Amino acid sequence: MVRDPLVEDDDPGLEAVVSALDDEDCRAIVRELDEPRTARELVERCDIPRSTLYRKLDLLAEATLVREGTEIREDGSHANRYEVDFEDVIITCDDSCELGVEIERPARRAEERLAEMWSEVRKEL
């Protein structure tokens, strides 16, 4: 499950975010996403099985910490690329000791927004 990058009001909830960040494999994936990477690249860099990698990417996507895009290749064999979709994660506590989470997102450039829209169109085809 990859979150819809066109929806701005995704609220993953505190539990989803903390569960993802508490997972050692998820943290390893986030560390390796200093630039967008394919699943194949992540498997090699993180040294975790492919099936585990996809489960962890789903966990990170549910927490809205990672987003997926499509790399368009001239040969037609397009690949999904994953990238970190947060700058800061802030755990808050209000006056009644209710915990919450705020996720600060990076600003998107026009070409990134266009690529995200293209990814969504490709999913519909």
Side-chain angles (χ1 to χ4, degrees):
M1 176 192 114
V2 175
R3 79 178 188 89
D4 185 349
L6 302 177
V7 176
E8 294 291 332
D9 61 349
D10 280 344
D11 180 16
L14 178 66
E15 188 174 324
V17 174
V18 171
S19 291
L21 293 175
D22 189 42
D23 185 282
E24 185 177 329
D25 289 333
C26 287
R27 289 192 311 272
I29 291 167
V30 168
R31 278 191 299 274
E32 293 300 331
L33 288 174
D34 54 336
E35 63 183 58
R37 299 192 189 279
T38 63
R40 174 177 284 167
E41 292 168 329
L42 288 169
V43 164
E44 292 169 3
R45 295 177 73 93
C46 296
D47 194 32
I48 57 178
R50 183 175 297 273
S51 60
T52 300
L53 176 83
Y54 282 111
R55 282 196 311 275
K56 301 306 179 172
L57 285 169
D58 283 345
L59 186 61
L60 287 163
E62 287 174 26
T64 71
L65 299 174
V66 167
R67 65 185 161 119
E68 178 182 18
T70 302
E71 176 183 295
I72 308 301
R73 297 179 179 167
E74 289 183 19
D75 66 0
S77 63
H78 308 313
N80 292 335
R81 292 185 83 69
Y82 301 91
E83 62 186 295
V84 170
D85 196 24
F86 69 94
E87 288 181 346
D88 292 304
V89 175
I90 303 163
I91 306 297
T92 61
C93 182
D94 65 16
D95 293 338
S96 63
C97 291
E98 184 80 21
L99 293 176
V101 65
E102 295 176 21
I103 300 174
E104 294 182 4
R105 308 253 180 231
R108 298 257 174 27
R109 298 184 320 260
E111 62 268 16
E112 290 175 318
R113 292 191 309 269
L114 181 61
E116 290 170 355
M117 287 188 286
W118 177 247
S119 292
E120 291 303 309
V121 168
R122 298 248 336 130
K123 289 177 189 174
E124 297 295 321
L125 298 177

